Every structure is written in C-alpha cells, then in structure tokens.
Amino acid sequence: MAAKPGQCTERPKSVPGRTAVLPWRLAPGIALFAAVALSMIFAGSMLGLAISRPWLGLGLSPFAPVAKLQDEGALWLTAVEGPAARAGIPPEPARILSIAPLGPGAAGGAVLLTGADIMEEPDVLPSHAGMAAYFARQNQLAGLMAEPVELHIAALEEAGSDTPPPTAVYRITPERRRPLTSLPAAFWMQIGVGLSGFWIGVWIWTLRRGDWAARFLAVAGTGLMASAFPAAVYSTRELALPDPLFWALSSLNATGSLTFGVGMIGLFLIYPRRLVRNQFLFVPALVLGLWRLADMLEWIDGPALGRHLAILTAMGAIIVLVGLQFRATKGDPRDRAALTWLGLAVIIGAGAFVTTVILPVALGVSAVVSQGQAFLFFLLIYGGMALGVARYRLFQLDEWAFRILFYVTGVLLLLVLDAILIVTVIDERAPAFALSLLVVALLWLPLRDMLGRLVLRRREPQRGALFRQVMDVALTPPGHDQRAIWAALLEGLFQPLTLSPLENATQSSITDEGAGLVVGGVGGLPAYRLDFADQGRKLFAPADVALADELRAMLTNALESRAAYEKGVAEERLRIARDIHDNIGVQLMGALHSLEPRRKDQLIRETLTDLRDIVNNASNPELSFDEMLADLRAQISEHVFAAGMRMEWVVEGGDSVILPLANAHTLRSVVREAVQNALKHADAGLVRIVIRQGDDAIFARVEDDGKGFDISADYRGNGLENMRARIIALGGDLSMISGAGGTRIEARFPFGAERRRR
C-alpha cells in the first residue's frame, strides 16, 4: 500500500531463524505524561532561577511615567514594595540616578543607572563586543544587588520650575530571594506559551511517533519552549543578572528560536504533501545549525546578521513552503483545507512575532510590542493546531486524541494542586491529596466536557427534527421523489461536497481514511457515497457512521410502519367493500323495489346508519385528532404525488383530542376539496397544507403556486360553495384569495361541544 505523505513506512527487519524484535515504546498516554513532567521540571528550574536572585523591591521602567518628560535613556521608578518600601522610598514616580555599595569594605563607587540596564533583549545591540560589555555591566550590577546598597533617586520636575529636582539617598537591604508575587505577568505568559507549544507538539508526536511531520512539530514545540523559558527569566529581571547566567539564557533563547524554525520548515517540507526526499529533510537543520554556531563563535558581524537575519530567513522559507504546498494540494479539498488552516496559523502567529519584534530591531528601530507580550502570538499557531486536529483531523488524529490530552492534563492538575496544598496550606500528604482529588473531580471533569464540546464543535442533531425528516421520507410513495428526499436529508445533515448513489452497499462505513462516508441502502432506497464533510472543511469520523446507522434504523422502522399502515388500509377497504356488497346493496335494492313509502323510508334510514358504521368502523368509531390527520395526509399525499406535484404538510400545536364526527368530516372535506381543485385546475407544482389546533378552534389553510382563477366568475362552478356551507353550518368562516401567484383557501371553525381529551 502506498505511503501517505510524511508518513514513515519503515518496519523492523527480520533475521532468518529469529523472531523480529519490535523496539520498546511507551504507551501514548504515558509518553505524553513523561514529556509533560519533564517540561514542568524545566519550567520549575526557570522559576527557581527567577526567584533565586536578590530582590530590592523596585518597579523599574525605561519609559517616563509622565509624557512631557523627554529625558531619553533615564531609568524610572514606577512602584516600590518589600525592601524598598521598608527603606522609606515613597511610591511616587521618580528617576533613579545611581546605585552604590554600602559598608566600609565595599569596593568601587556609585554606578550610574540608565534605561538600557533593563532592556528586554540584549541582542538588539549592534555588535558582539557591545553584548559582551552589556553582560559585564549586568554582572557588576548583580554583584551590587547581593549586598546592602545606596540608591540615589531624584523626584520629578515640577511644571514651570527652573530649579533642579531634589535628590534623596536611600539605603536598601535586599532580600535574598525574589518572591513569587513580584514576578510580572510577562513572566507567566512566556512560561505558559512555552508549555503550550511544547505540550501540543509532543502530544501529536506521541500519537504518531513514526510520522516525520509529527516529529518536526515536536521539534518546533521544543524550540519554542527553549526560546520562551529563558526569555521569561532575563526579560522580567528586576535590574540585573550575573554574566554567565545571562549569556547562557540569551544563547539558549537564540538556539530555541532557530530550532523552532527548523521544525516548521521541516514540517512544511512534507506536510500535507511530501516535497523532498528524506535525505534533504536535514538541510534546514544543517544550515541554521551552522549559522547558529558561527554566531556563537562570533564569526558573523553582530547579532543583526547572526540572529535576526537567520530568523527572518527561516520565516521567509516557511512562507515559500506554504505557497508550494498550496500549489501541490490543488484538486485535493482535504489536504487543501488542512494546509489552509495550519499554514495560516503558522504564518499569522510566527509572522506577527517576527514583524513586531525581530524585523523592527533588524531595521534599527524599537520593537512594536514587548517581547513577553509578543510571545502570545505563538498561541495562535498551537491553538489553531489543536482546533485543526478537531476540525480537519490534522495528522490523521481524531477525537480520541483529545481524550488522551484531557486525561494527562487531569493527572497533571491533580499532582500540581497536591504539591501546592502541601507547600502552602496542608502539611500532611493524605488530606492534601484527597482535597486535590475532590477539586479536580468537581472542577476539571465538568470543564473537560465543556472544552470537548467547544473545541471539537460537536453538533448533535435535534432528534425531533430528525425523526420528522425521516418520516417525510417514509411517507413519500416509492420512486424518484422518495429517493430525492432521502438524498436531501443526507446532504443537509452531513453537508458533503458530493453525493452519489452506490450499488450493493448494505452497511455504513468510512472510506479513504475519512474522506468519504458510505451510507448503506435501506427499504428499497439506494446506498449513497458522501465525499468531504462540512463542504470540505472536515473529514468523516466514527460518530458520523453511528449517526448514519441511526438514520437507517429510524427509516427502516418508519417504512415498516408505513407498510403495516397500508396493509391495514387495504384490509379496511376490503372490509368496506364486502360490507357494502353484503349489506348496503341488498338494503338499497330492497328500498328500490318497495312499494310502501314508510317501508322505503325505513330501509333508507337503516342503510344510512349502516353506511355510517361501515365508514367509521363501528368497532372503533372515534379517532383522535392526530390519527385523523395521519389518515388524511396519507390519502392526500397519494393523489398529490401521483399528479407529479410536491406537498408540504404542517401541523402546529395542540393536545391529543377527539373531534365530533361532523367537525372531523368537515375538516376532511374542506382539505380534500381544496386539494382536488388545485390538482384539477391550478396547474401548480406545490400544494401547502397548514392545520393548526388552537385553544377553541381549528384553522386550516390550503394554498398552491398555480395559475389562480377568477373567484367572481368561477365561484359557483367548482364546489367551493359546498365548502362554505359546511363551514358556516359549524359557526365558522371561509376565505379565498386567488391570483397569478396561486390560490389560498383559509377556513376556521370551533371544536364543538363534544370535544374531549384523549
């Protein structure tokens, strides 16, 4: 069997005389949990680095708190807490001038501070020498923060004042560790983005470990995590980090960025269509890896060429490959839909980060948004990828993949919550675990179901409407009309791109790995093949097979019920014919030959009584409103469909009641007469019948789309006068409207005194 694009087809080779040994592999759920646990350890180490530094309690910003202050390059104080608040520093905005060591043994003097000291990303500097000097300065400041320091602060200038603002000196004793609460939102955003990208990438890889596309996706997720985690530490530092740590984190960030590029380039080289052979898949890794090595060895002149140009090149390659894949998937709606979803997510997510952060720096201007905020753009990629799995079965995954993901997430939440409770609230492990289990059961499990419905977009069809549609198929006489209604039902429910009849298919099944759905034939109706569900936006799933089988079962029961009904009608007709032949004929013949008037009248009255009993079936003289309408619809539909017309039958509201015989006969007569006129004279294509049961009256409307007639000229010649007479006799009213667009007859009459609930 031919391999699918991007799918590994290698199998373990067997040795003669030996049994082939399969490589040992973890189950998908366990493998995913192990990868998630490792990523949590990595995230914990980054968190440990972030809070292990001494803390002064200063909120710092390179931007002036007041727009009119244009002192470019200054470092501004925006908030104080902890040690700074205890040192008496007022919380008002001010400019920080310098920092100096305290104590007789302190070496060196005051160090002037600038806004550049807290820049998010040092690779914006023009050269490697500039970065080295910056790391050396950071190392000096980090050494000062480890001991008590003096901070020189200048208040803001007063408007219109020519005198310099007053300067104050404050002595701060730093805390040895930075508290968790002092970490800004940007830190947690970058950690969250790194975890999300890695988890989704590894999630798909654990389920399709032999697929090169899934491997490259895991590489990209790993690169995103390796880029976002260290950036979270150094971009949200309070003031400084020691040189070796800062350099290592910055280098890891750059390596992770290019690793993400390698993964995405490799992904679009083979997904959804393979563009190159396996031996060429490692070219992007080789090129970007050598580029990164040259940058680390400072063989390239500055970060602009060593880092930014490499990222821009990788982004350009991704865009080109998406374009090539778009051309390669021409004529394949399934692959084109998957590519459109995934390609747009990557181009918009990664492109937005490059456009707002990397490209401006490469051009020598400031980034448009903060790097910590820009990392949120990557959520567009991986959030879109998760939705793509649900909507288009990207990488041939289906809803079962989400069950594994939700299971691992639930276990992870349980363990994390247990650890938090032990550290913060409860000392004993057993009560903490029990409380964690209770919280997860009460919160996560309902939330998991809600997320499943939201992400997977499960659209459960309304069973009531579905049953009515199936009944429309069953009540339509066999032939082309019934086949057309059945095909329309399937098309409306699954919305395929194409629908075609099949021969000799008795079972429902998925074909072409989700591209097609076969709905087996039932009750003389042909089987159908449906291609590309939801107008080509998704593939068929096992749930669609179950729905198709449910439809077939409902239709089978409905057709059997219709056959039983028709059999009963035939038997009833035979009974009526037999009774008329045996009784009515004899009595009428006796009345005809009777010479005595009183005897003749008596025979006629008895004949009428017998005829009424025969027609209404004396063994069951009363029919409910619903049963009477069912009989009426069955009778009328035969005439309508036999004439080649379409019929719409609508019944609205009401309880199950029993009508008086006269009222039921009037309703049947009015509807029959109106439909008969439409069949004979209207030359219509559609007859619409609406019957509504109100609180105290019955409303009936029969309308067609025929040629109409002149009421004033034809009124007394077409039986409409008899209809009016019957309605008026019951205390109701009848109205008629006719014209070029068709004819509408409306009747309304009360239930009558004998109305009873069933």
Side-chain angles (χ1 to χ4, degrees):
M1 183 175 64
K4 297 187 73 61
Q7 183 175 353
C8 178
T9 58
E10 296 179 358
R11 299 178 181 272
K13 296 181 179 180
S14 59
V15 179
R18 296 185 182 180
T19 302
V21 180
L22 296 176
W24 178 78
R25 300 175 69 180
L26 291 175
I30 298 176
L32 178 59
F33 181 77
V36 168
L38 290 176
S39 68
M40 292 298 294
I41 294 174
F42 188 15
S45 66
M46 294 296 105
L47 178 61
L49 288 177
I51 65 175
S52 65
R53 308 310 307 159
W55 183 55
L56 298 176
L58 301 173
L60 305 175
S61 173
F63 305 105
V66 181
K68 65 182 180 180
L69 295 177
Q70 301 296 331
D71 193 352
E72 187 174 350
L75 181 63
W76 301 95
L77 177 68
T78 58
V80 295
E81 55 181 329
R86 290 193 293 270
I89 299 177
E92 291 79 13
R95 176 180 175 180
I96 298 182
L97 302 177
S98 62
I99 186 172
L102 277 179
V111 178
L112 296 179
L113 298 177
T114 67
D117 289 322
I118 58 171
M119 69 171 62
E120 280 190 322
E121 185 58 67
D123 62 15
V124 300
L125 296 170
S127 64
H128 291 294
M131 289 185 66
Y134 185 80
F135 289 143
R137 178 177 172 83
Q138 284 280 302
N139 191 62
Q140 179 186 10
L141 294 176
L144 289 176
M145 292 176 61
E147 301 295 337
V149 294
E150 282 185 348
L151 206 61
H152 297 253
I153 300 177
L156 296 182
E157 298 179 9
E158 295 184 4
S161 175
D162 296 332
T163 59
T167 301
V169 178
Y170 298 93
R171 297 184 175 184
I172 305 177
T173 300
E175 294 185 4
R176 297 183 61 85
R177 296 175 62 86
R178 185 179 184 180
L180 279 174
T181 54
S182 69
L183 294 175
F187 175 87
W188 301 108
M189 285 191 295
Q190 292 175 90
I191 293 294
V193 169
L195 288 175
S196 300
F198 178 74
W199 288 355
I200 294 177
V202 173
W203 167 51
I204 295 175
W205 170 75
T206 56
L207 301 175
R208 297 194 62 83
R209 274 173 274 184
D211 193 332
W212 275 103
R215 292 172 181 174
F216 279 118
L217 189 62
V219 169
T222 304
L224 178 61
M225 180 175 64
S227 176
F229 278 12
V233 177
Y234 65 73
S235 66
T236 61
R237 66 192 184 279
E238 183 182 27
L239 178 60
L241 290 175
D243 180 10
L245 176 60
F246 204 159
W247 180 89
L249 292 175
S250 177
S251 181
L252 180 58
N253 167 262
T255 303
S257 299
L258 293 186
T259 302
F260 174 83
V262 168
M264 284 300 169
I265 292 173
L267 172 64
F268 288 112
L269 281 174
I270 59 174
Y271 187 83
R273 295 292 182 87
R274 179 177 289 274
L275 301 180
V276 298
R277 296 181 179 179
N278 279 354
Q279 54 264 36
F280 296 104
L281 294 178
F282 300 98
V283 172
L286 180 63
V287 172
L288 293 180
L290 291 176
W291 200 328
R292 176 71 191 116
L293 179 62
D295 178 60
M296 294 177 64
L297 297 176
E298 300 184 4
W299 293 349
I300 300 178
D301 187 17
L305 297 178
R307 297 188 181 186
H308 304 149
L309 183 58
I311 295 175
L312 292 175
T313 302
M315 188 67 223
I318 291 172
I319 295 174
V320 170
L321 289 174
V322 171
L324 294 176
Q325 287 283 4
F326 193 80
R327 186 177 66 177
T329 56
K330 181 179 180 180
D332 190 335
R334 178 184 61 185
D335 287 349
R336 177 64 64 85
L339 173 67
T340 301
W341 186 271
L342 182 59
L344 284 179
V346 173
I347 290 176
I348 293 175
F353 181 87
V354 171
T355 303
T356 57
V357 176
I358 304 299
L359 184 60
V361 174
L363 296 176
V365 298
S366 300
V368 177
V369 298
S370 166
Q371 177 175 277
Q373 297 171 343
F375 264 104
L376 292 176
F377 290 129
F378 287 99
L379 289 182
L380 296 176
I381 299 176
Y382 289 95
M385 202 169 296
L387 292 176
V389 170
R391 189 174 177 85
Y392 304 117
R393 289 179 61 192
L394 291 180
F395 309 102
Q396 306 302 314
L397 300 178
D398 207 343
E399 295 185 9
W400 54 269
F402 284 90
R403 290 195 290 270
I404 293 176
L405 181 63
F406 291 154
Y407 163 76
V408 172
T409 304
V411 174
L412 180 65
L413 286 176
L414 179 63
L415 297 179
V416 171
L417 184 59
D418 181 45
I420 292 174
L421 289 176
I422 292 176
V423 172
T424 58
V425 180
I426 304 175
D427 294 331
E428 297 183 12
R429 180 165 185 80
F433 184 79
L435 182 58
S436 302
L437 187 61
L438 179 63
V439 171
V440 170
L442 294 179
L443 297 181
W444 169 243
L445 296 182
L447 181 63
R448 178 194 63 183
D449 295 336
M450 183 187 71
L451 288 175
R453 290 191 297 269
L454 181 64
V455 171
L456 299 175
R457 297 184 64 184
R458 296 172 182 152
R459 294 182 300 174
E460 292 294 333
Q462 296 182 356
R463 289 305 188 267
L466 205 58
F467 177 76
R468 287 193 296 270
Q469 291 175 299
V470 171
M471 290 302 301
D472 287 339
V473 177
L475 293 177
T476 303
H480 294 293
D481 289 334
Q482 189 180 45
R483 293 177 58 176
I485 296 175
W486 173 235
L489 171 58
L490 296 177
E491 189 167 7
L493 193 60
F494 297 104
Q495 297 184 6
L497 282 179
T498 60
L499 183 145
S500 55
L502 291 177
E503 298 291 339
N504 302 324
T506 59
Q507 300 294 329
S508 300
S509 62
I510 290 177
T511 62
D512 296 338
E513 298 184 349
L517 172 67
V518 173
V519 180
V522 55
L525 292 170
Y528 283 95
R529 175 189 169 91
L530 290 68
D531 292 302
F532 302 110
D534 201 9
Q535 293 298 303
R537 291 190 291 268
K538 60 182 290 188
L539 301 181
F540 290 104
D544 297 318
V545 177
L547 180 57
D549 287 337
E550 182 180 356
L551 281 176
R552 295 176 65 245
M554 292 170 61
L555 184 56
T556 299
N557 292 333
L559 289 173
E560 291 175 352
S561 299
R562 184 179 188 275
Y565 167 78
E566 291 178 345
K567 180 180 179 181
V569 169
E571 293 176 350
E572 187 68 8
R573 287 175 177 172
L574 180 61
R575 180 192 64 81
I576 293 175
R578 185 183 299 113
D579 289 344
I580 290 177
H581 178 271
D582 295 341
N583 299 325
I584 304 301
V586 174
Q587 290 176 311
L588 288 178
M589 186 63 68
L592 178 64
H593 294 285
S594 176
L595 300 178
E596 185 179 352
R598 296 181 60 184
R599 176 60 179 168
K600 184 186 296 289
D601 293 343
Q602 181 180 359
L603 287 174
I604 292 175
R605 283 193 296 270
E606 291 176 354
T607 301
L608 291 175
T609 300
D610 291 345
L611 183 61
R612 185 179 297 113
D613 289 341
I614 291 172
V615 173
N616 294 318
N617 195 354
S619 61
N620 184 22
E622 294 181 327
L623 291 177
S624 71
F625 187 66
D626 297 336
E627 293 171 335
M628 186 268 291
L629 291 182
D631 290 344
L632 182 60
R633 176 177 181 175
Q635 297 168 12
I636 290 177
S637 64
E638 293 181 2
H639 299 291
V640 172
F641 289 120
M645 296 174 58
R646 293 178 293 114
M647 182 182 78
E648 290 185 9
W649 180 277
V650 181
V651 176
E652 300 176 351
D655 302 325
S656 181
V657 298
I658 297 175
L659 292 182
L661 186 60
N663 299 57
H665 178 66
T666 297
L667 177 60
R668 283 195 294 262
S669 299
V670 169
V671 174
R672 287 171 180 165
E673 183 67 27
V675 173
Q676 190 71 16
N677 286 338
L679 296 177
K680 288 182 177 180
H681 310 294
D683 194 19
L686 171 67
V687 173
R688 178 177 171 85
I689 303 167
V690 179
I691 300 175
R692 184 172 68 248
Q693 177 186 342
D695 293 332
D696 57 356
I698 290 178
F699 172 87
R701 181 172 75 245
V702 180
E703 54 188 351
D704 62 65
D705 60 352
K707 60 186 180 182
F709 66 96
D710 185 355
I711 296 179
S712 61
D714 299 340
Y715 183 84
R716 295 183 178 276
N718 55 17
L720 297 177
E721 184 63 24
N722 293 333
M723 296 167 54
R724 179 180 292 276
R726 293 189 185 98
I727 294 295
I728 293 177
L730 294 177
D733 54 81
L734 181 76
S735 64
M736 290 169 282
I737 300 176
S738 185
T743 301
R744 183 171 73 236
I745 300 175
E746 296 182 347
R748 178 189 173 280
F749 59 90
F751 276 103
E754 299 178 13
R755 175 192 180 191
R756 300 190 302 277
R757 294 187 182 276
R758 183 80 170 174

